[in-house]
Amino acid sequence: MVTSARLEHMAQYGEPQHTIVHISDTHFLAGEQPLYGKVDTDATVRQAMRQLEASGIRPEALVFTGDIADLGEDDAYRRIRGIVEPAAERMGARVLWVMGNHDDRARVRVELLDEQPLTEPVVTSIRLGGLRLIALDTSVPGYHHGELSAEQLEWLRGELATPVPEGTIVALHHPPIPTTVPLMPILELQRQHELADVIRGTDVRGILGGHLHYSTHSLFAGVPVSVAAATCYTMDVAAVRGRLSGLGGGQSFAIVQVYDDRIVHSTVPIGDFPVVSGFDNAFVDRLAALSPEDRLEAFSRHAQP
Ligand SMILES: [Fe+2]
Ligand SMILES: [Fe+2]
């Protein structure tokens, strides 16, 4: 096993202060029914958990940015909880479930949060040491577009009124960024300027979103936004113009590494792919034992043809 300390002295940056896993749009149906009759939604989430556990990465939290279920059914939530929670427990990670437009507030509360079946927005604010993680609820019961009520924005304003030592990451389903995928702008978060007014000038340093089913990154009110692709199917951003195409491939999740002055988002493909190149632990150990100069010679110098 490669130890972080061994790698750290080979890099200009140290280890991140926090590691979070960002997963989105799992879209489970009841009774293990395949999504659109074609997608095994459970398989990619199981595979993602297997990959994470095998990696040795020990995230502090797994954040699911909404559309956990496709039709908000009890069994969908029970099943994903049965896959995710044991894996999270073994990794020592908390799980943050964020509401999406396909989710049902009351059933999320009962099946995922062990709460009463209230239909108020599902919002929460947790701490990972000095870092604050806030989950907003952009869902509108009965609709697929996103909204944040005046009450929820006031709650957020109140939370952010007190800064925390390492700043805040906000997780929500409908990301406040443009998309050129056909029809998706109809379903975007409405009145985004209201959220911008609340976030601007606070300690929010990252926004995690979902909903779009493709990995994309932007800025909102000066804050970096990162959207994780879906685990169920991938929206084709390069589809033939005017066409909306969900692809049965390219599923991924993201690793979010929080440093003191920046956050790094890295996309991880989900799948059991063949390893076609790489170096083993013994090789890394040999390089770690070298001086920085010898390391450059051993690893950076072009091989002679
Ligand atoms: Fe979705
Ligand atoms: Fe969505």
Side-chain angles (χ1 to χ4, degrees), residues 18-23 52 58-64 88 91-96 126 128 133 254 256:
H18 301 278
T19 300
I20 295 166
V21 170
H22 179 193
I23 302 173
L52 270 175
R58 289 295 170 258
E60 285 174 85
L62 310 182
V63 179
F64 286 78
M91 291 187 280
R94 301 174 68 166
V95 183
L96 195 69
I126 66 169
L128 305 174
L133 203 47
V256 182

Side-chain angles (χ1 to χ4, degrees), residues 79-182:
R79 247 176 34 254
I80 193 165
R81 186 175 184 176
I83 295 170
V84 169
E85 272 196 354
E89 210 165 289
R90 288 190 292 271
M91 291 187 280
R94 301 174 68 166
V95 183
L96 195 69
W97 302 105
V98 180
M99 280 286 301
N101 52 292
H102 284 260
D103 291 308
D104 181 278
R105 287 174 178 167
R107 293 201 185 110
V108 161
R109 279 207 165 83
V110 171
E111 301 297 343
L112 295 179
L113 307 176
D114 298 327
E115 292 177 5
Q116 294 302 309
L118 301 177
T119 55
E120 304 305 308
V122 181
V123 296
T124 189
S125 175
I126 66 169
R127 289 287 289 270
L128 305 174
L131 184 72
R132 177 167 50 195
L133 203 47
I134 291 180
L136 297 180
D137 182 347
T138 54
S139 72
V140 182
Y143 290 87
H144 284 303
H145 69 273
E147 285 184 23
L148 287 167
S149 64
E151 294 77 26
Q152 195 175 155
L153 287 166
E154 257 334 284
W155 173 82
L156 178 62
R157 195 188 298 277
E159 275 296 304
L160 296 176
T162 312
V164 296
E166 293 179 86
T168 299
I169 293 177
V170 170
L172 44 60
H173 182 65
H174 298 80
I177 63 169
T179 175
T180 55
V181 171

Side-chain angles (χ1 to χ4, degrees), residues 25 67 101 173 211:
D25 294 80
D67 287 357
N101 52 292
H173 182 65
H211 190 52

Side-chain angles (χ1 to χ4, degrees), residues 26-29 31-47 50 79 83 231-233 248 251 270:
T26 50
H27 282 267
F28 276 35
L29 284 164
E32 291 188 63
Q33 283 181 70
L35 186 66
Y36 301 129
K38 292 174 182 158
V39 180
D40 184 344
T41 51
D42 301 39
T44 45
V45 174
R46 272 200 215 96
Q47 174 67 22
R50 265 199 299 276
R79 247 176 34 254
I83 295 170
T231 63
C232 60
Y233 67 86
Q251 293 92 340
I270 301 173

